[in-house]
Amino acid sequence: MTTTRTILFDSPFLLGFDHTRALIDRAAKAAAESYPPYNVEQIGDAGVRISLAVAGFSPEELAITLDGRQLTIAGKRDDAGKSGSGADQTFLHRGIAARGFVRNFVLADGLEVSGARLEHGLLHVDLIRPEAERQVRRIPITAG
């Protein structure tokens, strides 16, 4: 499939789309990650919500950053999931993940982060696409 994408973006009619190719490659890599599980839902006409299952993480252990169009959500456990008696703990079954994570999302142009909240073990990150003003420009033609 990489070959098809390369041929598509090497077309002379798609000048300057190298950045788009890099975004698609980054999104494909991010899609291969599986922890923590997440949902992406449409909210109204212009909103999107990303919800991650982050049970056991406090707001201080979570970080959300936006670098260009890449949204990064990271969780770092200081205690590596230990609680209560610490090293004396013996698990008969350990099914709750206690590891840190980094999850990346590539946002479409125009999407902005409007807020985030931690609620019942779910981290909700709300995105909105503000209505863009339509601009029509007339391009002057010079004779040479």
Side-chain angles (χ1 to χ4, degrees):
M1 184 168 227
T2 305
T3 309
T4 305
R5 202 170 345 165
T6 302
I7 292 170
L8 174 67
F9 284 104
D10 287 342
S11 168
F13 300 109
L14 296 174
L15 299 175
F17 280 88
D18 295 336
H19 179 70
T20 303
R21 181 192 308 184
L23 287 175
I24 290 171
D25 290 341
R26 200 178 322 161
K29 183 179 175 184
E33 300 171 6
S34 63
Y35 175 77
Y38 67 94
N39 292 336
V40 178
E41 49 187 313
Q42 182 76 39
I43 306 295
D45 291 334
V48 175
R49 174 175 291 151
I50 301 171
S51 299
L52 283 88
V54 293
F57 284 88
S58 68
E60 295 78 27
E61 296 171 321
L62 297 168
I64 302 170
T65 57
L66 184 61
D67 182 9
R69 304 303 331 141
Q70 182 165 326
L71 177 70
T72 301
I73 303 171
K76 184 176 180 184
R77 300 292 295 262
D78 293 331
D79 60 1
K82 297 177 185 170
S83 62
S85 58
D88 299 342
Q89 230 171 353
T90 303
F91 290 96
L92 300 177
H93 172 75
R94 188 166 188 170
I96 300 173
R99 66 184 186 270
F101 67 89
V102 175
R103 167 96 43 200
N104 294 299
F105 299 90
V106 179
L107 304 183
D109 285 337
L111 273 180
E112 298 175 2
V113 178
S114 64
R117 80 177 184 284
L118 183 61
E119 178 178 65
H120 305 295
L122 293 174
L123 176 64
H124 301 289
V125 180
D126 293 326
L127 310 168
I128 191 160
R129 183 186 312 267
E131 190 68 31
E133 291 183 25
R134 185 171 175 206
Q135 294 180 348
V136 178
R137 290 187 328 155
R138 183 162 181 95
I139 309 300
I141 300 171
T142 60

